[in-house]
Amino acid sequence: MVQSRRRGGNYRCPRRAALPAAALLLFLLAAVALLYVSPPPVSDHPVLASSRRRRRSPHALLNSLGGGSMDESERREIFRVPTNASTVRDDLWGSKLASKFYGCSNSSSKFLDSKNTTQPDRYLMIVTSGGLNQQRTGIIDAVVAARILNATLVVPKLDQASFWKDSSNFSEIFDADWFISSLSKDVKIVKELPGIGGRHRAPHRMRVPRKCTERCYLNRVLPALLKKHVIRLTKFDYRLANRLQTDLQKLRCRVNYHALRFTAPIQEMGQKLTQRMRKRSKYFIALHLRFEPDMLAFSGCYYGGGEKERRELGALRKRWKGLHPNPEKGRRQGRCPLTPEEVGLMLRALGYSKDVHIYVASGEIYGGTRTLAPLKALFPNLHTKETISSKEELAPFSKYSSRMAALDFIVCDESDAFVANNNGNMAKILAGRRRYFGHKRTIRPNAKRLYPLFLNRANMSWDAFSSKVHMFQKGFMGDPKELRPGRGEFHENPSTCICERTDDKAKSRNDQVLDSGSDRGKAIGEPAVPNYTGEEVGESDDDEDAPAEREVIDLEMDDEPLVGPDDPELEQILSD
């Protein structure tokens, strides 16, 4: 009875007009609350976004929040780059394990003197390809090829008609006399091809396939050499296998780390630049930025510069028919160079403080000072060879791309920490050199893992961001045994030429030069006998543009390349 009375006319419902008013009030309160708790807008790559300056980047926005009405709990939720490094680390400038390893490239007793191996009337001529560092790999491999063929090597000819347009010859970049004398026990080398009866001999031109092994040279080149006596191998880049017999690998190291010296003028200017960096701070970073327009166009990536960037880089990309860019896929796979801002954030997250001095090794930066501004905000002490020297000092080098690259090479080699923003030839050669000479700190951004982290950085605290950067960069810092023997290009990971110390005796960089004694220590090398394939023993067609084998450098293998092997200019742009 009571229940029926409640359902009857004694129970009154509230008026319907009150419901919309209450709902509207709750909606307004929720909207106001969201304005205060929502994270700042995210811009994928704001460093180049001149067309979107109305939308401030997370980095610019967060660093401008020095005060205001926000309380401490709200500020802690926002991604803020601290003024100084939050923790001081003692491994920023080198690994604690580095002293246990040293370069060892002496030959074994089985490696005979060139006087006993060089055959008369066998001459090998080489024409290298690409920029300075791509040509360097060709020169190194040319010496080994001559040794395999028991031939006299004519000082290699440098490519003067490639994308880089540098007219320098070998002796204008490298010390030719030292090159010849220091390798005299390994390979006989002459500056010019000798004639017969006062007449020049016309060499027989040919080309070997990519990654040609020792047996490949004996099967393909030696028969022609025995018949023609003078062979000229053209476009000589990556024409020697990555894995060879131990003594041949060690010969590669003797050429690369001891025989190839820059000329005195280049060496002296490079040392001047290094000394000027040392006067500014005890330690300094060298950054191979690789943010030139051609490099960015080649990468096929998008860097946040809006329609202007798409138009400018798109015009450059039209020159290359073999380029098939997929910006999002390329960035996911870690194929895109980090922006200057991203490089700066990575370094700050690793623990480098704002007052560290950085030498930027690069050509023309896309966007100029505007592009570098975010990096300069993170590291105000930025320098280039142009800012720490005069035009008069650089005049003998400035018209030659290879000589300017050589100056950057020297400073990067001498730096306390080297950062390679693109894993081209310069980065690989310097990484290997720095391993050989004491495992100096060498950082390669793990772009594949860092990419999603940069996208999501506005939604995390600085401490969380820094912790993830440390985790993602493990294995990319140039530490000993970071790469397994045989992994990666030999020039980047010369494991055959690095020994682990078996006693407590220290060995300085000067002690690592070649001597008559045997190498002390245990080699951490790689398999001495390579596996030959049908192509390597000469069973395939001589495809002069056969693709180079893809070597895995980290655990995350890249997918198919952005460009096929049919566009040499693309290879040259990527090379250095």
Side-chain angles (χ1 to χ4, degrees):
M1 296 295 292
V2 174
Q3 189 175 11
S4 64
R5 282 198 296 268
R6 280 183 179 176
R7 288 179 178 176
N10 293 335
Y11 178 73
R12 293 184 178 181
C13 294
R15 287 181 297 177
R16 299 191 177 210
L19 287 173
L24 180 61
L25 179 61
L26 289 173
F27 176 80
L28 291 174
L29 288 173
V32 172
L34 284 173
L35 291 175
Y36 283 93
V37 300
S38 295
V42 178
S43 174
D44 285 0
H45 298 287
V47 64
L48 299 179
S50 60
S51 64
R52 298 184 294 174
R53 283 302 173 192
R54 294 184 185 90
R55 291 178 56 195
R56 302 177 69 187
S57 72
H59 176 66
L61 174 64
L62 300 177
N63 280 287
S64 67
L65 294 176
S69 59
M70 302 176 65
D71 58 33
E72 285 300 315
S73 62
E74 288 174 319
R75 285 189 185 132
R76 280 197 297 270
E77 295 297 319
I78 294 179
F79 178 91
R80 292 178 60 87
V81 182
T83 303
N84 294 311
S86 55
T87 57
V88 178
R89 296 179 53 191
D90 57 2
D91 62 344
L92 289 175
W93 305 108
S95 170
K96 295 178 181 178
L97 299 175
S99 61
K100 297 183 179 181
F101 300 86
Y102 63 96
C104 53
S105 56
N106 285 332
S107 61
S108 71
S109 58
K110 298 179 181 179
F111 199 70
L112 300 178
D113 191 290
S114 63
K115 293 179 181 178
N116 300 320
T117 60
T118 305
Q119 298 299 311
D121 216 18
R122 289 189 195 177
Y123 291 91
L124 181 65
M125 303 180 72
I126 297 292
V127 181
T128 62
S129 181
L132 173 68
N133 296 290
Q134 186 172 337
Q135 293 189 86
R136 187 185 186 104
T137 62
I139 294 167
I140 296 165
D141 291 347
V143 175
V144 179
R147 174 74 191 201
I148 291 172
L149 297 168
N150 291 330
T152 297
L153 176 67
V154 181
V155 169
K157 179 177 175 58
L158 305 186
D159 182 2
Q160 299 176 340
S162 68
F163 170 83
W164 304 103
K165 299 295 187 294
D166 191 315
S167 61
S168 302
N169 58 39
F170 185 98
S171 61
E172 290 173 318
I173 297 176
F174 300 105
D175 186 335
D177 292 330
W178 171 257
F179 178 73
I180 293 171
S181 62
S182 64
L183 294 171
S184 59
K185 292 184 178 181
D186 300 309
V187 174
K188 182 180 178 181
I189 305 175
V190 295
K191 291 185 178 181
E192 300 290 343
L193 177 67
I196 297 179
R199 294 183 301 173
H200 292 289
R201 289 186 282 187
H204 175 70
R205 295 167 62 93
M206 62 181 299
R207 193 176 296 175
V208 293
R210 295 291 180 91
K211 303 295 183 180
C212 194
T213 64
E214 180 179 2
R215 188 180 299 178
C216 170
Y217 275 91
L218 295 177
N219 286 354
R220 287 175 175 262
V221 184
L222 184 58
L225 185 61
L226 294 175
K227 183 178 180 180
K228 303 291 184 180
H229 304 295
V230 182
I231 296 294
R232 184 175 187 174
L233 299 180
T234 59
K235 199 185 177 184
F236 198 78
D237 56 341
Y238 314 113
R239 304 289 166 173
L240 188 62
N242 197 45
R243 296 186 183 185
L244 300 169
Q245 297 177 23
T246 297
D247 268 324
L248 294 180
Q249 296 288 59
K250 285 183 176 289
L251 175 57
R252 263 178 166 163
C253 294
R254 291 197 294 278
V255 180
N256 195 2
Y257 306 130
H258 301 286
L260 273 181
R261 288 182 180 177
F262 292 118
T263 60
I266 293 175
Q267 194 67 35
E268 290 169 4
M269 188 62 208
Q271 291 301 324
K272 281 183 182 179
L273 296 174
T274 302
Q275 291 166 8
R276 288 169 188 175
M277 289 300 299
R278 291 256 176 256
K279 288 180 180 179
R280 286 166 168 79
S281 61
K282 182 179 180 181
Y283 301 108
F284 75 92
I285 296 172
L287 168 60
H288 192 213
L289 193 55
R290 289 304 269 131
F291 216 70
E292 297 91 347
D294 288 307
M295 181 63 197
L296 301 189
F298 167 82
S299 73
C301 302
Y302 174 64
Y303 299 92
E307 186 57 35
K308 182 174 183 292
E309 177 195 331
R310 290 189 177 93
R311 184 175 62 254
E312 291 175 346
L313 298 186
L316 293 175
R317 289 176 185 135
K318 290 180 180 179
R319 294 173 8 203
W320 306 308
K321 295 179 181 179
L323 185 62
H324 305 291
N326 185 328
E328 182 60 28
K329 185 176 181 180
R331 188 164 286 279
R332 286 199 313 269
Q333 294 175 352
R335 297 182 182 279
C336 307
L338 301 188
T339 67
E341 180 183 36
E342 290 168 345
V343 172
L345 289 172
M346 178 195 70
L347 291 175
R348 291 292 296 276
L350 288 173
Y352 292 98
S353 61
K354 188 175 183 178
D355 59 354
V356 167
H357 288 250
I358 297 181
Y359 177 91
V360 179
S362 182
E364 174 194 359
I365 302 294
Y366 180 68
T369 56
R370 174 172 53 82
T371 299
L372 286 174
L375 176 60
K376 195 170 180 63
L378 291 163
F379 292 96
N381 300 309
L382 288 184
H383 312 278
T384 65
K385 55 183 171 292
E386 288 81 9
T387 62
I388 60 175
S389 61
S390 66
K391 289 184 178 181
E392 291 73 20
E393 287 178 308
L394 291 179
F397 315 97
S398 58
K399 295 181 180 180
Y400 305 94
S401 61
S402 292
R403 299 182 209 185
M404 292 289 274
L407 297 179
D408 280 339
F409 186 98
I410 293 171
V411 181
C412 290
D413 182 34
E414 296 290 338
S415 66
D416 302 287
F418 171 61
V419 182
N421 195 26
N422 170 261
N423 205 36
N425 282 318
M426 180 170 171
K428 290 177 181 177
I429 290 177
L430 278 168
R433 185 179 180 85
R434 291 170 71 87
R435 286 187 171 100
Y436 183 84
F437 287 115
H439 284 88
K440 294 190 292 183
R441 177 62 69 215
T442 303
I443 302 171
R444 183 166 66 90
N446 185 356
K448 185 182 294 186
R449 300 294 301 277
L450 291 176
Y451 166 59
L453 185 62
F454 286 129
L455 287 184
N456 195 44
R457 67 182 186 262
N459 298 320
M460 66 180 71
S461 67
W462 172 257
D463 289 340
F465 176 82
S466 178
S467 176
K468 286 186 177 294
V469 170
H470 279 279
M471 180 172 62
F472 294 160
Q473 282 299 120
K474 287 182 179 179
F476 291 78
M477 301 294 288
D479 291 318
K481 294 188 176 181
E482 191 176 73
L483 300 177
R484 295 200 305 271
R487 296 294 293 274
E489 288 287 341
F490 183 75
H491 299 298
E492 180 181 18
N493 183 28
S495 52
T496 308
C497 304
I498 296 176
C499 292
E500 186 171 2
R501 202 174 304 283
T502 55
D503 55 31
D504 296 329
K505 294 183 180 180
K507 198 165 190 178
S508 67
R509 176 165 178 162
N510 291 332
D511 293 330
Q512 291 165 342
V513 297
L514 304 179
D515 52 43
S516 58
S518 61
D519 293 320
R520 300 182 208 167
K522 179 182 178 182
I524 62 172
E526 57 195 49
V529 181
N531 295 320
Y532 297 110
T533 65
E535 178 185 6
E536 290 169 339
V537 298
E539 295 176 3
S540 66
D541 293 334
D542 188 0
D543 182 2
E544 64 187 31
D545 288 319
E549 69 176 89
R550 292 185 57 77
E551 294 287 351
V552 180
I553 298 171
D554 55 58
L555 297 179
E556 299 179 2
M557 184 182 295
D558 290 335
D559 294 334
E560 72 276 4
L562 288 172
V563 60
D566 56 347
D567 197 328
E569 187 180 47
L570 282 176
E571 292 182 2
Q572 293 164 6
I573 290 174
L574 183 63
S575 67
D576 286 344

